[in-house]
Amino acid sequence: MKNLLGGKGANLAEMSSIGVPVPPGFTITTEVCTEYNQVGPEKAVELIREEVEASIAEMEKIMGASFGSNENPLLVSVRSGARVSMPGMMDTVLNLGMNDEAVEGLTAKTGNARFAWDSYRRFVQMYGDVVLGMKPASKDEIDPFEKIMDAVKEEKGYVLDTEFTVEDLKELVTKFKKAVKEETSKDFPVDPWEQLWGAVMAVFDSWNNDRAKYYRRINKIPEEWGTAVNVQAMVFGNMGKNSATGVAFTRDAATGEDIFNGEYLVDAQGEDVVAGVRTPQQITLEGSRRWAKLQGISEDERAAKYPSLEEIMPEIYKELDRVQQKLEDHYRDMQDLEFTIQEGKLWMLQTRNGKRTGAAMVRIAVEMLEQGLIDEKEAIARQEPNKLDELLHPVFVQEELETTETVSKGLPASPGAATGQIVFFADEANKYENTILARIETSPEDLEGMNVANGILTARGGMTSHAAVVARGMGKCCVSGAGSIVIDYKKRTLTAGDVTFKEGDWISLNGSTGEVYKDAVKTKDPELSGDFAKIMELADKLATMAVRTNADTPHDAQKAREFGAKGIGLCRTEHMFFGEAKIKAMREMILSEDEKGRRKALDKLLPLQREDFEGIFTAMKDLPVTVRLLDPPLHEFVPHEIKQQEELAKEMGISVKKIQDKIESLYEMNPMLGHRGCRLGNTYPEITEMQSRAIIEAALNLKEKGIVAKPEIMIPLVGTLAEMKMQEEIVRKTVEAVFAERNDRIDYLVGTMIETPRAALTANEIAESAEFFSFGTNDLTQMTFGYSRDDSGKFLPIYLQKGILKNDPFQVLDQAGVGQLVEMGTKKGRQTNPNLKVGICGEHGGEPSSVEFCHRVGMNYVSCSPFRVPIARLAAAQASIK
Ligand code: ADP
Ligand code: MG
Ligand code: MG
C-alpha cells in the first residue's frame, strides 16, 4: 500500500478503516508522479481529472460544504507523502479553496472573522511560497511574506503574530497578493480548481527540489519512487480557545521510555508547534511537570501559564490517549502522531513509525518483546546496526551542551565524546591526565599518543584518513578535517575563528557530530547492561556466524571480550614493535648488514614479543587468536629524524652515514607492492622463526599456568602456493623444535590471509597448505580496484559525489567485484579442504551490509575492531533471519 499511496496516505487510509477519526480525503498515487515526471503536467492532469473531480464531489457531500462556496466553503490541504517519510523535505499547502468569497462564507459560518482571515492569510502565504515560487531572493534574505509581516508589525508596534487584528489580516492578504503580482506578473488564482491543480503539480515538483534530492542521496532512496499527493478536508485548530493542534509520540523517542508524550498549542494551525513561534505546552500532566522542573518553573506558574492538555481538555485528552494506544497496538511500533482539535472534536492527521535514538531503538524493541507486541526476530530486525554505535561511546550530558560554545566543525570521524587539555605532539599525550591530541594530521608514529589521548582532532584529512581509521579502530573519539582551525606547532597554539587555544587549554570534541567545543563538557559512560545486553543475547541466539575482533593489545582484547567477541581474527604484530625498547631492537634488526646481525637483534626481540603474546592470549583465554606475522615494509620502522639516527648509530657502534645509507637503500617506489608481507619472511626466514617461537613459547608458558591459548598463525600477502608453503614449513619446523625442547605441545593452526587477487584465483592450490583463510579485504580492495588507499583522498570523494562509485569501497565491501573474489576464494579453498575455516579481517568486517555478504558466502566468522563487535553481532543475526 505504501508504495502506491505513500506512507502518509496509506496510514491515513488505515487509521480511517480502524475507526480513528480522520478528516475525509483521497490520495493521488505515486505512479501518477512518475507519469507526471515523464509526460509533463497537461497529460498527467488529463489522466486523473475525472477521478479527482468525483472525489472532491464525494468530499463535498460528506462535509456538506462546497468548493469555493460563499456560504459554506470546502477547504482542503494538499499534502506530499513518499513511501518512506522524508520529514520536511517536500511541500504541503493548507486552507486551499480560499478566496474573497470563501473567506466571507467562513466568517458567516463560524462567526469568527479573525479565524477566517488568519486562514486566508496563511493560505496566500503558503501557496505563494510552494506553488508560485515566492522564495527569499538570496540565502541571507528573509522570506518575502515575512518581510511584509515584519513591516506591518513594526508600523503597529506589535511583537507577536497573535496581535494582528482582522483589519491587519485583510491588509496583509492584499499586500501579499500585490507582491505575488509584482514578482510573477500574474494574479493570485481565485478559482479553487486552478488552485488545486497548481498545488498538486507543485507537490509533484517538490519531489525534485534540491533538499529532497539530497535527502534521497544520503538515505539511498531511489529517484524513481515519486511522491503521492493527499487531498484532505481541512480541520481547524485555530478556531479559538476550544481548538488546538499538536504532535505526540506513543513512547519517548530519546530514551525509549514507555510514556505517552507530546506538545500542543491552543488556537493554532498546522506547523506552529514545530516552527517554534510560541512555546508549546506538554500534553500530559506528568510530562508538563517534568518539563517545568527542567525549566525551573514553579508548579503554580506551570499550572497557570503552561497547563497540560490533560488539565485543560480532560475529555479530549482521554480520547487522544485511547487513540495513541490503539495506533501503537495496531502498528506494533512507536508512533509519531499529528492531531488537531477543532472546537472540542479530535481529529488525527498523521501517524508514522517514529524516528528514535539508538538507546530508544533498543529499549523499545526489548519492551515490546516483553509486552508480547513483537517476536524475537522482529526485535532483532528492527535494530539499525549503525545506530548501536551511539550506545558504545561516552556521551556528553545533553543539558551541558546547551550552554557551551561551538568553535569549529569537522568530520564526525569516530563517534563519542571527549574532553581534555590540548597537546600538539603524540609523545606528550600523557603530559596531563586528560588530553586531546590536536594535529594537522597524524601518522603511524603517533599511534601510542593517540591511544593515550582522550580524543583526536585534526585540521586535515577525511573519513578514511589515518587519524579517522585508527581512532575508529580504538573506539576513540575523533574529529578530522576541521578545516577552519589553524595549528601552529611552533607556538603551540590552535586557532579557531577568533578563539586561540594554548597547550593545556581545555577543549571538547563531539565525534558523533564533528563539533568542537570550548572548555570541558561533562560526559557520562554508556550503559552496556540492561536492554542492550538483552538485544545482544538475542542476536547471538539467532546468528550462525561468529564475530571476532581485530586487537593488538591485551587492553583491546579485553574490551572486545566485554563486547562479546568470540576470539581475535587479526592480531597485527607490527604494532607491538612501536614500544620504546622494541622499536630500538627492531631498527637494529632492519639496519643490520647480514643474517648474523639480524639474529642478534631478533634475540632481543624474542622475549619482548613472547611477553606481548602472553598478555593477549591471557586476555583471550580459551578463545582462538589469529596472529599475523610481520607485514609492513621495513622502512616504516626506521628513524627519519637526525637525532634518533645519531642515537641509534651510537648504540650500534656504526656511523650515522652508514645508517642513512641503509635507510636510503630501504626506500621503495611503491612500498604497498614492495618488500612486505610473506616476502619479508621468505627473504629473511629468521623473522618468521623468531615470531613463531615467541607465539608457541608464550602458549606453552601459559599452559603451565593452566591457561588455554589457541594460536592461529597467519601468513600475510600470499600470492602463490610456493610462497605459502615455504612459510608454512618454517613455522612448522620452528614449532616442532620448541615442542621438542619443552617436551610438551599444544594445538595450533597455520593459515593465510587472502589479500591478493592471485591468491583468491588460486585458492584451491593455496588451501593445500593452509588450515584457514582470512580475507584481508583492505589490501584485496586496493589491488582489485588498483586504488592506493592512502592516496584515495584525492579522487574518492569526487567519485562519490559524481556517483561514479555508490560507496567508498574501503568502507563498504564491493560485492560485485571484490566480493566475487571472496566468494570464489571461499568455494575453491573448500573444494580442496572442506574443513577450511574462513573469515574476514578487513575494515569491512564491522560494516553491516558487508557482514551480511560474509554470511551469504558461508564464512565461519567476521572480525572487526572492538567497538564494532556488537554491531557485527547484530548484523550477523539479521543476516541469518533474512
Ligand atoms: P509534513 O510531512 O511536512 O509534516 P504535512 O502534510 O503533514 O507535512 O502537513 C503539515 C502540517 O499541516 C501538519 O502539522 C499537519 O498536521 C497539518 N495539516 C495537514 N493537513 C491538514 C488538514 N487537512 N487539516 C488540518 N491540518 C492539516
Ligand atoms: Mg504506550
Ligand atoms: Mg506531517
Side-chain angles (χ1 to χ4, degrees):
M1 264 323 220
K2 283 192 179 159
N3 295 358
L4 265 188
L5 301 182
K8 200 180 284 168
N11 285 342
L12 283 170
E14 202 160 331
M15 279 200 285
S16 163
S17 78
I18 60 169
V20 169
V22 175
F26 61 92
T27 301
I28 302 171
T29 67
T30 53
E31 278 176 353
V32 181
C33 181
T34 314
E35 194 70 18
Y36 169 86
N37 285 333
Q38 279 160 14
V39 303
E42 272 105 61
K43 287 205 174 130
V45 171
E46 277 330 300
L47 213 64
I48 54 172
R49 184 186 295 280
E50 262 175 42
E51 274 182 85
V52 168
E53 283 173 359
S55 305
I56 289 282
E58 185 70 20
M59 279 170 71
E60 288 177 324
K61 220 163 78 200
I62 296 172
M63 300 297 289
S66 72
F67 223 23
S69 156
N70 59 1
E71 272 170 28
N72 192 7
L74 171 68
L75 299 186
V76 299
S77 62
V78 177
R79 318 171 66 187
S80 57
R83 274 194 213 185
V84 293
S85 111
M86 295 168 53
M89 293 301 124
M90 290 180 297
D91 293 324
T92 282
V93 179
L94 302 183
N95 307 340
L96 189 139
M98 268 294 189
N99 55 30
D100 292 344
E101 268 111 62
V103 74
E104 293 308 333
L106 203 61
T107 307
K109 183 185 157 205
T110 61
N112 188 339
R114 191 173 191 289
F115 150 70
W117 281 94
D118 182 48
S119 304
Y120 195 7
R121 189 270 303 171
R122 287 170 187 263
F123 169 61
V124 178
Q125 186 170 354
M126 268 194 157
Y127 196 90
D129 169 30
V130 171
V131 186
L132 306 174
M134 296 284 292
K135 307 274 181 199
S138 68
K139 75 166 187 250
D140 34 45
E141 212 147 304
I142 66 163
D143 177 89
F145 297 118
E146 294 292 336
K147 220 176 184 164
I148 296 170
M149 291 203 344
D150 285 350
V152 174
K153 268 197 227 166
E154 198 179 306
E155 183 193 326
K156 314 252 157 152
Y158 299 156
V159 182
L160 293 172
D161 289 6
T162 42
E163 292 174 73
F164 286 125
T165 64
V166 174
E167 287 314 308
D168 296 333
L169 292 167
K170 285 184 181 172
E171 182 187 332
L172 282 176
V173 168
T174 310
K175 284 191 165 160
F176 281 5
K177 285 183 169 178
K178 204 170 134 233
V180 166
K181 176 91 196 221
E182 274 166 15
E183 187 64 35
T184 66
S185 25
K186 277 194 219 114
D187 286 319
F188 190 89
V190 291
D191 173 20
W193 283 103
E194 190 186 340
Q195 293 173 357
L196 179 65
W197 288 115
V200 170
M201 300 306 139
V203 169
F204 282 155
D205 284 334
S206 71
W207 176 254
N208 283 318
N209 71 30
D210 292 343
R211 257 179 329 187
K213 276 190 181 154
Y214 178 73
Y215 187 87
R216 286 201 290 279
R217 201 166 69 231
I218 59 173
N219 289 288
K220 309 226 177 323
I221 298 171
E223 289 290 314
E224 55 291 350
W225 280 3
T227 180
V229 181
N230 304 287
V231 180
Q232 193 175 24
M234 281 305 299
V235 288
F236 299 97
N238 56 338
M239 283 183 83
K241 291 261 171 307
N242 209 7
S243 302
T245 187
V247 175
F249 294 88
T250 61
R251 301 189 185 213
D252 191 314
T255 64
E257 186 181 354
D258 186 4
I259 184 169
F260 177 48
N261 65 99
E263 296 178 328
Y264 77 102
L265 275 176
V266 172
D267 197 7
Q269 195 176 26
E271 302 189 298
D272 292 357
V273 174
V274 209
V277 219
R278 278 192 272 155
T279 311
Q281 288 154 240
Q282 300 298 308
I283 291 178
T284 66
L285 177 56
E286 188 181 348
S288 184
R289 290 194 168 134
R290 284 189 191 185
W291 171 85
K293 206 168 157 203
L294 283 174
Q295 300 286 316
I297 291 174
S298 73
E299 172 61 16
D300 285 347
E301 189 185 353
R302 183 203 66 76
K305 278 199 193 151
Y306 312 99
S308 63
L309 186 72
E310 190 171 354
E311 290 160 283
I312 64 161
M313 299 185 191
E315 287 310 312
I316 291 276
Y317 170 76
K318 269 189 211 136
E319 191 186 348
L320 180 63
D321 192 25
R322 274 196 303 273
V323 169
Q324 67 89 11
Q325 197 56 57
K326 184 172 185 171
L327 287 171
E328 188 181 276
D329 291 346
H330 180 76
Y331 288 100
R332 298 177 304 113
D333 201 353
M334 185 261 277
Q335 296 297 297
D336 167 353
L337 312 167
E338 286 172 9
F339 66 90
T340 282
I341 298 160
Q342 176 178 333
E343 300 196 296
K345 165 135 184 58
L346 174 71
W347 296 95
M348 300 309 292
L349 289 165
Q350 188 167 339
T351 189
R352 61 181 162 207
N353 294 343
K355 301 226 182 290
R356 63 204 75 179
T357 65
M361 169 183 82
V362 168
R363 178 164 175 183
I364 290 172
V366 167
E367 292 185 354
M368 286 197 165
L369 177 64
E370 284 164 359
Q371 292 161 351
L373 279 166
I374 57 175
D375 64 13
E376 292 184 340
K377 283 186 180 172
E378 182 70 32
I380 287 296
R382 280 193 188 169
Q383 307 302 307
E384 281 177 54
N386 281 326
K387 268 209 155 151
L388 281 186
D389 220 26
E390 293 171 27
L391 298 171
L392 305 178
H393 302 271
V395 288
F396 284 121
V397 179
Q398 191 56 37
E399 299 84 67
E400 291 257 324
L401 282 186
E402 278 151 27
T403 54
T404 44
E405 187 187 336
T406 304
V407 291
S408 178
K409 207 161 180 243
L411 298 170
S414 181
T419 282
Q421 290 174 272
I422 300 175
V423 293
F424 294 100
F425 301 92
D427 58 357
E428 295 176 8
N430 47 14
K431 192 161 180 174
Y432 313 101
E433 198 178 323
N434 290 291
T435 54
I436 297 288
L437 176 62
R439 301 282 306 162
I440 296 173
E441 56 198 345
T442 62
S443 75
E445 288 175 33
D446 299 335
L447 207 71
E448 226 175 305
M450 292 170 75
N451 208 359
V452 172
N454 286 357
I456 297 139
L457 169 64
T458 69
R460 261 191 241 146
M463 294 290 286
T464 55
S465 65
H466 178 266
V469 172
V470 171
R472 281 198 293 273
M474 293 174 172
K476 184 141 303 198
C477 168
C478 174
V479 172
S480 69
S484 70
I485 64 169
V486 178
I487 291 177
D488 188 328
Y489 287 140
K490 275 219 184 90
K491 290 196 199 134
R492 300 191 172 218
T493 59
L494 181 160
T495 310
D498 43 32
V499 194
T500 296
F501 297 87
K502 295 187 302 295
E503 181 181 277
D505 285 349
W506 285 85
I507 198 167
S508 300
L509 306 179
N510 191 337
S512 316
T513 62
E515 275 162 317
V516 181
Y517 311 111
K518 208 176 150 181
D519 301 327
V521 183
K522 250 211 228 105
T523 62
K524 55 177 190 199
D525 267 343
E527 283 282 344
L528 294 185
S529 52
D531 296 330
F532 178 83
K534 284 184 194 160
I535 281 288
M536 283 296 118
E537 217 171 279
L538 195 55
D540 289 349
K541 186 171 149 192
L542 297 173
T544 53
M545 186 170 65
V547 176
R548 294 194 191 180
T549 190
N550 299 349
D552 310 331
T553 63
H555 172 263
D556 284 359
Q558 187 52 43
K559 200 89 243 142
R561 251 196 126 122
E562 283 161 25
F563 285 138
K566 294 285 187 301
I568 289 181
L570 175 64
C571 171
R572 288 162 291 205
T573 49
E574 55 269 21
H575 287 180
M576 299 175 177
F577 292 123
F578 277 108
E580 181 69 20
K582 276 168 274 190
I583 191 76
K584 278 192 185 146
M586 187 68 185
R587 285 171 174 164
E588 201 181 313
M589 195 272 295
I590 294 166
L591 299 174
S592 295
E593 287 293 318
D594 50 17
E595 189 187 325
K596 196 165 145 250
R598 278 196 298 276
R599 285 200 183 272
K600 203 176 126 217
L602 285 166
D603 284 345
K604 290 189 201 166
L605 280 171
L606 175 68
L608 301 171
Q609 275 240 293
R610 192 171 53 217
E611 203 181 311
D612 285 332
F613 290 133
E614 283 176 15
I616 289 190
F617 293 159
T618 306
M620 270 289 149
K621 62 172 179 278
D622 301 323
L623 296 176
V625 176
T626 307
V627 180
R628 178 179 70 184
L629 302 186
L630 193 65
D631 180 53
L634 297 179
H635 80 95
E636 280 195 11
F637 299 94
V638 298
H640 294 287
E641 280 162 35
I642 180 77
K643 211 175 124 221
Q644 290 171 316
Q645 291 173 356
E646 283 169 358
E647 245 172 60
L648 193 68
K650 213 157 112 202
E651 213 151 296
M652 289 176 71
I654 52 175
S655 70
V656 176
K657 172 83 173 51
K658 220 170 196 163
I659 300 248
Q660 286 169 339
D661 288 348
K662 185 73 192 183
I663 290 173
E664 181 100 349
S665 78
L666 284 171
Y667 173 81
E668 291 178 304
M669 292 297 285
N670 199 341
M672 186 188 99
L673 302 173
H675 194 190
R676 59 169 286 215
C678 66
R679 298 159 208 167
L680 290 173
N682 280 329
T683 49
Y684 300 153
E686 53 278 11
I687 299 178
T688 304
E689 282 171 24
M690 183 280 285
Q691 290 201 291
S692 310
R693 176 172 282 274
I695 293 166
I696 297 300
E697 286 183 354
L700 287 171
N701 288 351
L702 294 179
K703 188 178 175 187
E704 282 170 12
K705 293 194 213 159
I707 295 169
V708 179
K710 296 184 172 172
E712 303 180 343
I713 299 174
M714 181 156 77
I715 316 297
L717 216 76
V718 161
T720 74
L721 173 60
E723 266 181 318
M724 176 62 200
K725 255 203 165 128
M726 183 170 285
Q727 284 295 287
E728 189 204 358
E729 269 161 29
I730 298 167
V731 171
R732 293 209 187 273
K733 223 171 104 193
T734 310
V735 172
E736 285 307 322
V738 177
F739 287 164
E741 285 164 26
R742 305 279 292 250
N743 196 20
D744 197 1
R745 38 191 327 124
I746 51 144
D747 290 330
Y748 74 101
L749 300 178
V750 183
T752 182
M753 240 167 137
I754 303 286
E755 50 188 334
T756 70
R758 194 180 190 285
L761 293 166
T762 61
N764 51 326
E765 293 175 15
I766 289 170
E768 285 173 26
S769 160
E771 291 173 287
F772 66 87
F773 281 176
S774 175
F775 284 90
T777 45
N778 293 346
D779 267 307
L780 193 58
T781 299
Q782 293 204 89
M783 289 189 230
T784 304
F785 275 91
Y787 295 165
S788 154
R789 181 163 71 155
D790 298 324
D791 302 309
S792 65
K794 295 208 175 80
F795 58 89
L796 258 188
I798 300 168
Y799 267 35
L800 290 169
Q801 196 194 344
K802 291 194 171 176
I804 299 174
L805 289 174
K806 280 232 161 72
N807 293 302
D808 178 345
F810 293 110
Q811 284 177 8
V812 179
L813 185 75
D814 160 48
Q815 298 183 15
V818 179
Q820 270 193 55
L821 289 169
V822 173
E823 190 169 6
M824 178 201 298
T826 306
K827 269 206 194 107
K828 286 192 157 192
R830 287 199 176 133
Q831 273 163 21
T832 305
N833 175 3
N835 295 323
L836 189 77
K837 254 209 235 177
V838 180
I840 183 178
C841 61
E843 285 271 304
H844 307 97
E847 191 281 318
S849 72
S850 312
V851 172
E852 193 194 325
F853 173 83
C854 293
H855 170 89
R856 278 209 310 275
V857 302
M859 285 195 191
N860 301 86
Y861 68 86
V862 296
S863 186
C864 57
S865 56
F867 282 89
R868 304 287 303 176
V869 167
I871 294 160
R873 284 162 73 194
L874 185 65
Q878 290 184 333
S880 71
I881 60 174
K882 251 195 188 151

